[in-house]
């Protein structure tokens, strides 16, 4: 039983950690906010004074803004869809007793340990290259013209690369959820004559809803800032410029800190809107 | 044991020596290109001759280096004493007063020996702000065997028509031989380097004398249409994602009939260890259109001393050493003449040994045919052949490059790409206060 004193002592002792963490988050955020109201061009003499909301207006009215938001949402949505559908299937598959299960599971998780830059390079050069790539050879084998993946199906390619990386994460979480499912319930349903699809739809899927929620929430947070895969493969060309990439271009390529900071604030707002939206729609699953 | 004693004694001596002469540390930021790595290996010679100077290296990949040094110099960070920068940065930074003038390098460094085109690119108002380590232009590299098989001959100074005819004759798509490989990957240092230089030969330019963007001109439409025709008819598939490295590998595999790119590539495509067509490569000047300008660029990786350095004298000493004739001789002695840093000094091209290198003459001619102070047919307010030396350029050109790359991928027409390029450039220049 915590006394008044021990509670205050605990607060006192935790204070440094809390302050440090707050500072960790707040300092960059406040700096970004501060710079977003300034005309700050390092290559033109640095701080050129306050400009009010000019950077915000310029960022949103730029012809690149809405396409970048759209590209961001398509990538997030596409990856979520693929990883969850394939993740559920893979999890069910991996749950079946089989020979060499341990090794198979490790192999399935392996892509998660590959650095994003490395995996993007491998995909770009080994699979998607229209002359030397594996896919090109496969297409040619069937007498088809190879697809120029990164230019003709640029968003699809990025979604494929990112999904490949995040599929193990989804599979892992969903597999643990499936393993916690009471097998007697499934057996009972089977004995009652429920077909496979019904058993999946009425027992497995509802059981997985919490795990799916977790996957959606965590992946969305990370996918909103997908960068390395785009940097390595298309450098933002062919409609793959996401909001993060646009901010990078404004800050580092155009050396316009003010404009980029305004973009950063927009990204924070977008992430929060999405988070609230997700919490409302799917987050209620977590209460159960 | 004895070795141990010797080591201790040596350390003690070194300590004493260090105490006797105040040590100066020179921090050098450089790019991870082969020539720079070689310089690091040979820098013991420098420290042996200058025991009071310690060298510290920060070696980075090109893009990262550019970001790091730009941030450091713009914020006056003072992290580096020597920076490796290109001909794009030097005029901008020189004008800002961010670099130390190198006009006072010792007489034996021989500034008059530097190739005039390269020197022009590194000079602002009569002050030399960087010493060239190696220089390059671009030229045509082609397959002699394929040209012979087609019964054609490549002129030393071809026109764009010659190139189109040769590309058509050499293309054999069924056997994966493509008449011409050119950069298509978006980026100010990728497709825009090539296209800006190409536009010069068509009479195109980035800006007129009042800094008005020129993508709505006929010259740019001609440039882009010619480029698209070449690439769509005779280029490799997926050309819109090919940059320098991708094209290099295609050429080395024997899949390109021609490749117009950096002169430094010549040593890679003629190296039998890496290239399957090493003994079949011919060289020609970059094409023109009879307008007096050729479509070749000019670039020099150079060493500069930032104004914020606290070891200016030692840094200058190092810069003078690394860009001297003695350094060239040192590399030649250790690694052979084909490996010395090319494209910076007249004396190198007068050297009988170096003249035996197959691409030496064409490299020199290409460099000399580019003039960064007068890059275009009509007069322009900027310096730079394949770039415009203003801070906004990298950002603008990368976005424009993305539009052109998308056009090459067939996602939009040439007209649309040019319209968007014009809009982007006008918008950014207005924001920059032009």
């Amino acid at each position: 039983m915590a006394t008044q004193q021990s509670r205050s002592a605990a607060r006192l002792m935790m204070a440094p950690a809390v302050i440090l963490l707050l500072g960790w988050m707040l300092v960059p955020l406040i700096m970004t906010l501060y710079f977003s109201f300034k005309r700050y061009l390092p290559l033109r003499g640095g701080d050129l004074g306050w400009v009010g909301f000019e950077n915000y207006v310029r960022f949103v009215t730029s012809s690149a803004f809405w396409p970048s938001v759209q590209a961001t949402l398509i990538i997030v949505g596409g990856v979520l869809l693929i990883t969850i559908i394939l993740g559920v299937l893979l999890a069910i598959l991996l749950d079946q007793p089989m020979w060499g299960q341990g090794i198979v599971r490790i192999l399935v998780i392996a892509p998660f340990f590959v650095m994003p830059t490395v995996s993007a390079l491998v995909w770009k050069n080994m699979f998607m290259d229209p002359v030397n790539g594996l896919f090109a050879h496969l297409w040619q084998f069937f007498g088809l013209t190879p697809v120029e993946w990164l230019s003709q199906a640029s968003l699809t390619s990025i979604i494929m690369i990112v999904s490949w990386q995040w599929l193990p994460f989804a599979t892992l979480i969903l597999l643990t959820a499936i393993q916690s499912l009471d097998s007697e319930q499934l057996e009972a349903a089977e004995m009652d004559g429920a077909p496979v699809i019904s058993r999946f739809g009425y027992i497995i899927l509802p059981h997985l809803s919490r795990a799916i929620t977790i996957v959606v929430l965590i992946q969305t947070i990370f996918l909103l800032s997908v960068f390395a895969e785009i940097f390595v493969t298309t450098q933002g060309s062919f409609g793959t410029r996401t909001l993060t990439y646009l901010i990078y271009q404004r800050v580092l390529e155009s050396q316009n800190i003010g404009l980029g900071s305004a973009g950063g604030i927009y990204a924070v707002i977008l992430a929060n809107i999405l988070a609230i939206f997700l919490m409302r729609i799917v987050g209620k699953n977590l209460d159960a | 044991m004895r070795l141990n004693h010797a080591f201790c004694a040596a350390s003690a001596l070194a300590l004493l020596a260090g105490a006797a002469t105040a040590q100066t540390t020179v921090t050098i930021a450089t790019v991870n290109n082969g020539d720079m790595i070689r310089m690091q290996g040979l820098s013991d010679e420098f420290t042996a001759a200058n025991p009071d100077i310690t060298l510290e290296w920060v070696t980075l990949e090109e893009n990262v280096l550019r970001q790091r040094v730009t941030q450091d110099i713009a914020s006056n960070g003072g992290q580096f004493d020597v920076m490796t920068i290109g001909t794009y940065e030097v005029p901008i930074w020189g004008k800002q007063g961010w670099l130390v003038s190198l006009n006072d390098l010792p007489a034996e460094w021989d500034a008059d020996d530097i190739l005039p085109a390269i020197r022009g690119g590194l000079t602002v108002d009569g002050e030399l702000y960087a010493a060239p380590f190696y220089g390059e232009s671009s030229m045509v590299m082609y397959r002699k065997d394929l040209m012979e098989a087609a019964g054609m001959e490549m002129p030393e100074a071809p026109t764009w028509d010659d190139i189109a005819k040769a590309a058509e004759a050499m293309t054999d798509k069924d056997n994966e031989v493509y008449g011409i490989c050119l950069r298509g990957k978006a980026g100010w240092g990728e497709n825009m380097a090539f296209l800006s230089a190409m536009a010069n030969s068509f009479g195109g330019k980035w800006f007129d004398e009042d800094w008005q963007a020129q993508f709505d001109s006929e010259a740019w439409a001609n440039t882009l249409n010619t480029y698209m025709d070449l690439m769509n008819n005779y280029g490799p598939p997926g050309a819109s994602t090919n940059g320098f490295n991708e094209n290099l590998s295609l050429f080395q595999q024997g899949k390109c009939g021609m490749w117009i790119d950096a002169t430094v590539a010549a040593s890679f495509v003629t190296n039998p260890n890496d290239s399957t067509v090493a003994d079949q490569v011919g060289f020609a000047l970059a094409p023109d259109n009879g307008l007096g300008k050729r479509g070749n660029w000019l670039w020099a990786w150079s060493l500069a001393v930032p104004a914020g350095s606290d070891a200016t004298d030692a840094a200058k000493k190092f810069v003078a050493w690394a860009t001297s004739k003695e350094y060239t001789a040192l590399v030649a002695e250790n690694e052979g003449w084909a490996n010395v840093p090319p494209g910076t000094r007249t004396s190198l091209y007068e050297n009988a040994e170096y003249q035996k290198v197959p691409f030496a003459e064409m490299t020199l001619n290409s460099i000399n045919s580019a003039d960064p102070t007068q890059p275009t047919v009509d007069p322009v307010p900027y310096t730079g052949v394949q770039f415009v030396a203003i801070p906004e350029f990298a950002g603008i050109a990368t976005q424009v490059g993305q539009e052109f790359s998308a056009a090459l991928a067939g996602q939009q027409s040439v007209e649309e790409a040019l319209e968007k390029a014009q809009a982007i450039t006008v918008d950014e220049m207005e924001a920059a206060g032009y």
Side-chain angles (χ1 to χ4, degrees):
Chain A
M1 195 68 179
T3 61
Q4 188 72 40
Q5 283 94 330
S6 73
R7 240 181 275 145
S8 350
R11 280 198 193 119
L12 200 72
M13 280 188 271
M14 269 168 63
V18 172
I19 290 169
L20 200 72
L21 275 175
L22 258 177
W24 199 267
M25 275 167 50
L26 281 179
V27 170
L29 193 66
I30 289 171
M31 294 274 280
T32 311
L33 204 62
Y34 172 77
F35 282 127
S36 70
F37 292 108
K38 302 213 98 171
R39 187 172 153 79
Y40 194 86
L41 305 167
L43 293 178
R44 287 222 170 262
D47 192 346
L48 303 174
W50 297 95
V51 289
F53 284 92
E54 197 183 285
N55 287 326
Y56 286 89
V57 175
R58 260 201 82 200
F59 196 89
V60 181
T61 51
S62 138
S63 59
F65 177 71
W66 286 110
S68 76
V69 173
Q70 198 189 345
T72 311
L73 295 180
I74 292 177
I75 289 178
V76 174
V79 175
L80 282 179
L81 207 68
I82 293 177
T83 48
I84 287 170
I85 293 175
L86 289 183
V88 171
L89 293 178
L90 261 178
I92 293 174
L93 204 67
L94 286 177
D95 191 41
Q96 309 301 317
M98 62 175 142
W99 186 78
Q101 200 170 37
I103 293 173
V104 172
R105 279 184 192 168
I106 288 174
L107 283 178
V108 168
I109 303 165
F112 204 54
F113 301 118
V114 181
M115 279 190 288
T117 26
V118 176
S119 90
L121 271 175
V122 168
W123 273 85
K124 178 181 171 232
N125 295 325
M126 221 171 105
F127 296 112
M128 290 173 165
D129 190 283
V131 177
N132 293 320
L134 266 173
F135 290 164
H137 286 295
L138 200 70
W139 259 244
Q140 270 165 344
F141 180 77
F142 290 106
L144 301 164
T145 320
V147 179
E148 292 169 24
W149 286 96
L150 291 170
S151 53
Q152 288 175 347
S154 41
L155 269 180
T156 318
S157 307
I158 303 276
I159 291 174
M160 272 165 71
I161 298 172
V162 180
S163 300
W164 180 80
Q165 280 214 294
W166 281 93
L167 185 57
F169 172 78
T171 310
L172 208 62
I173 302 243
L174 295 168
L175 179 62
T176 6
I178 285 190
Q179 282 173 338
S180 72
L181 180 61
D182 189 357
S183 60
E184 281 171 19
Q185 215 181 346
L186 278 174
E187 277 164 27
E190 204 178 344
M191 274 196 277
D192 287 343
V196 181
I197 299 199
S198 304
R199 270 181 278 153
F200 175 75
Y202 289 107
I203 303 176
I204 299 182
L205 210 53
H207 180 76
L208 286 181
S209 62
R210 282 181 73 169
I212 291 177
T213 310
I214 290 171
V215 172
V216 170
L217 278 176
I218 294 182
Q219 284 199 168
T220 307
I221 293 166
F222 282 95
L223 292 176
L224 278 173
S225 56
V226 162
F227 179 82
E229 290 84 349
I230 299 168
F231 184 78
V232 170
T233 53
T234 62
Q235 308 233 297
S237 315
F238 317 121
T240 57
R241 184 159 49 185
T242 57
L243 197 53
T244 329
Y245 206 89
L246 185 66
I247 295 166
Y248 160 80
Q249 277 196 335
R250 295 293 184 245
V251 175
L252 282 159
E253 283 182 3
S254 302
Q255 287 285 325
N256 192 333
I257 311 281
L259 189 62
S261 300
I265 299 297
Y266 279 123
V268 171
I269 294 171
L270 176 76
N272 276 296
I273 292 176
L274 267 182
I276 293 168
F277 177 76
L278 281 174
M279 281 295 194
R280 283 275 164 81
I281 303 278
V282 284
K284 58 179 182 244
N285 277 332
L286 292 176
D287 299 335
Chain B
M1 241 5 233
R2 181 168 289 174
L3 205 74
N4 229 342
H5 279 281
F7 183 71
C8 286
S11 317
L13 269 177
L15 275 177
L16 276 175
T21 54
Q23 279 286 331
T24 317
T25 304
V26 173
T27 310
I28 304 157
T30 196
V31 60
N32 64 350
N33 293 353
D35 290 285
M36 313 300 188
I37 304 287
R38 193 173 291 135
M39 167 171 67
Q40 275 181 52
L42 295 170
S43 63
D44 287 348
E45 295 266 339
F46 173 78
T47 38
N50 298 279
D52 54 331
I53 298 175
T54 317
L55 300 179
E56 230 170 65
W57 297 90
V58 180
T59 312
L60 300 162
E61 192 263 325
E62 183 173 331
N63 287 330
V64 184
L65 169 82
R66 195 165 270 138
Q67 283 165 16
R68 280 279 297 275
V69 295
T70 306
Q71 241 125 61
D72 187 58
I73 202 152
S75 60
N76 204 4
Q79 254 184 313
F80 306 112
D81 301 304
V82 175
M83 290 176 169
T84 307
I85 53 180
T87 30
Y88 170 58
E89 285 89 2
V90 176
I92 302 173
W93 295 4
K95 227 174 261 170
Q96 301 260 26
W98 289 348
L99 301 175
V100 174
S101 166
L102 298 181
N103 274 8
D104 57 347
L105 287 186
E108 58 272 22
W109 184 70
D110 198 359
D112 294 331
D113 188 35
I114 307 287
L115 295 174
I118 300 279
R119 210 172 137 185
L122 302 176
T123 304
V124 184
D125 302 329
E127 301 278 339
L128 183 71
Y129 281 111
F133 183 70
Y134 72 78
E136 64 167 41
S137 181
S138 54
M139 63 182 171
V140 181
M141 291 163 270
Y142 66 93
R143 289 271 299 280
K144 289 193 271 192
D145 55 333
L146 292 179
M147 285 298 274
E148 211 169 287
M152 297 178 81
E153 207 170 303
M154 177 67 76
E156 277 226 339
T159 63
W160 284 105
D161 280 339
D162 294 329
I163 294 293
K165 278 182 202 141
E168 188 182 2
M170 288 194 279
T171 300
D172 177 8
K173 289 193 178 173
D174 293 335
N175 288 316
E176 291 194 333
V177 175
Y178 306 97
I180 188 161
C181 296
L182 299 173
R183 295 184 182 191
K185 187 196 229 171
W188 76 273
E190 288 282 2
N191 65 345
M192 289 318 290
F194 177 80
L195 282 167
S196 300
M198 182 177 174
N200 292 343
S201 70
F202 279 81
K205 51 189 178 281
W206 269 84
F207 303 103
D208 69 3
E209 285 188 288
D210 301 320
W211 290 102
Q212 300 298 312
Q214 296 295 309
F215 286 106
D216 49 4
S217 67
E218 210 188 314
W220 265 104
N222 290 338
T223 308
L224 219 54
N225 280 318
T226 310
Y227 170 79
M228 294 294 166
D229 285 344
L230 282 172
M231 294 310 279
N232 290 335
N233 296 328
Y234 319 121
S240 54
T241 49
N242 287 352
F244 174 83
N245 285 321
E246 288 82 359
N247 283 325
L248 172 65
S249 125
L250 284 171
F251 195 93
Q252 285 177 334
Q253 292 168 33
K255 293 187 174 175
C256 301
M258 268 180 292
W259 179 29
I260 307 175
D261 215 303
T263 49
V264 288
S267 72
F268 308 139
V269 293
T270 53
N271 181 345
N273 293 335
D274 305 320
S275 173
T276 58
V277 292
D279 51 350
Q280 294 296 348
V281 189
F283 303 100
L285 286 179
D288 73 346
N289 254 343
L291 296 174
K293 291 286 171 193
R294 309 203 78 87
N296 59 311
W297 66 64
L298 188 78
W299 185 258
W301 275 118
S302 312
L303 301 177
V305 181
S309 163
D310 53 5
T312 313
D313 289 335
K316 276 187 185 173
K317 233 183 214 176
F318 173 77
V319 170
W321 172 79
T323 57
S324 66
K325 292 177 203 166
E326 289 73 34
Y327 175 77
T328 310
L330 183 69
V331 178
E333 189 187 309
N334 282 296
E335 322 244 350
W337 280 101
N339 288 317
V340 304
T344 60
R345 286 179 173 273
T346 314
S347 57
L348 178 66
Y349 290 92
E350 284 165 354
N351 183 312
E353 286 300 313
Y354 195 69
Q355 281 170 356
K356 289 181 196 156
V357 176
F359 45 83
E361 192 195 346
M362 199 51 74
T363 302
L364 178 67
N365 291 342
S366 297
I367 290 177
N368 282 338
S369 74
D371 180 0
T373 54
Q374 283 170 353
T376 51
V377 176
D378 305 324
V380 283
Y382 56 84
T383 51
V385 179
Q386 78 282 22
F387 56 81
V388 178
I390 54 169
E392 291 76 18
F393 180 77
I396 300 176
T398 296
Q399 292 181 63
V400 169
Q402 290 181 342
E403 298 304 334
F404 291 171
S405 195
L408 180 59
Q411 294 179 341
Q412 59 185 357
S413 68
V414 166
E415 291 74 39
E416 277 174 294
L418 285 170
E419 253 169 52
K420 286 186 192 167
Q422 178 77 5
I424 290 167
T425 313
V426 168
D427 186 39
E428 296 271 331
M429 290 302 275
E430 258 174 35
Y434 278 88

